[in-house]
Amino acid sequence: MERSSNGGSGKPPVTDSKAAWRDGAVTYFHLLFYIAISGGQIFFNKWVLSSKEINFPYPVALTLLHMVFSSVVCFAITKVFKIIKIEEGMTTDIYINSVIPIGAMFAMTLWLGNSAYLYISVAFAQMLKAIMPVAVFLLGAAFGLEEMSYKMLAIMSVISVGVIVASVGEITISWVGVVYQMGGVVAEALRLIFIEIFLKKKGVKLNLISMMYYVSPCSALCLFIPWLFLEKPKMDDSISWNFPPFTLFLNCLCTFILNMSVFLVISRTSALTARVTGVVRDWSVVLLSAAIFADTHLTFINIIGYAIAIAGVVAYNNHKLKVKPQANPQQGDENKVNPGNPRDVEISMNSTKEAS
């Protein structure tokens, strides 16, 4: 005689429900952790560069320290403790012709992005970053990677108008800071273009640790040269700067953890979820910075302009996800990856721009 209609005691469905709830809770924890560590690192860098307590207004030196720390940690993880295996397929030719240009643009992105915090507020910097899809699209079209269409031009126009309105609403504008931030945006757009041209088209796929293992030393070398000529003389002449070792270690560690959180978000969710989470993070940073930093004064025009720009960014993300070719139909529209398998995370999604 059957005790239930499904021939069992009914416990497996309950167990499956608990497992699904637990898995969902872990995923949401990763998303919240990414938002917290990403926004927190932006505030941390701003504080290090502008606070009177530390007095370390040297963005090249700060970014150089991040890259050196990342290089050392990645080497320890892959070569000393051998926790993660480096992806195969990297050759001298690929490194010279592909990784070095990408590393140089990554160094430029972080250098200029951090330099902007010396002149403009965190909130205004985030508003200017919303122009990123426009830079990527225009440069992509110039390199033959994007096709012009009325829909894309309309989306780019919405984003541009939003950023312009947000800029008009800024009470005090430092054009030096704007130039630094826009330079960082262009450098990041070029980095993404170079990834598409130099690596993806060559069939090279790297997980996040492999990417950081190869790129971080190159970026550190690219940053060492400008630091040697631009900031080292100033640091030698100044006796007032101070960077406590513990604060330095904590700042570098947070940057590395942030890069790991990018992998966790992508590996447990999807491209769409990662993009939406980024939008939530940006809004959180804009609003919280107004409460944390004295140089941030949000106006109604700021908020309206940024809202328009973010609406354009959301439309851009939605359009790109719809038109992205499906290499494997089983992956679905969201291009979901296999949790726990770093080999499934393509290099194109491993953006560590948030570390700046």
Side-chain angles (χ1 to χ4, degrees), residues 133-176:
V134 177
V136 173
F137 177 74
L138 293 178
L139 288 173
F143 281 93
L145 301 176
E146 298 281 357
E147 293 184 2
M148 289 288 185
S149 66
Y150 289 114
K151 183 174 183 179
M152 287 301 294
L153 288 175
I155 292 174
M156 297 302 106
S157 299
V158 169
I159 296 175
S160 301
V161 168
V163 172
I164 292 173
V165 172
S167 301
V168 171
E170 187 70 7
I171 297 176
T172 56
I173 295 181
S174 169
W175 291 108
V176 175

Side-chain angles (χ1 to χ4, degrees), residues 81-139:
F81 300 104
K82 297 182 179 180
I83 299 175
I84 297 178
K85 183 180 178 181
I86 290 294
E87 297 286 349
E88 303 292 338
M90 182 61 65
T91 63
T92 303
D93 179 68
I94 293 177
Y95 190 86
I96 294 176
N97 296 321
S98 304
V99 175
I100 290 180
I102 293 171
M105 288 300 101
F106 186 45
M108 186 71 70
T109 298
L110 299 179
W111 169 16
L112 297 178
N114 280 329
S115 297
Y117 291 143
L118 296 174
Y119 302 95
I120 59 178
S121 67
V122 171
F124 189 45
Q126 291 300 120
M127 293 178 189
L128 293 177
K129 287 179 185 178
I131 203 73
M132 176 66 69
V134 177
V136 173
F137 177 74
L138 293 178
L139 288 173

Side-chain angles (χ1 to χ4, degrees), residues 63-77:
T63 309
L64 174 60
L65 291 170
H66 290 167
M67 292 298 99
V68 171
F69 184 87
S70 177
S71 301
V72 172
V73 173
C74 287
F75 181 82
I77 291 176

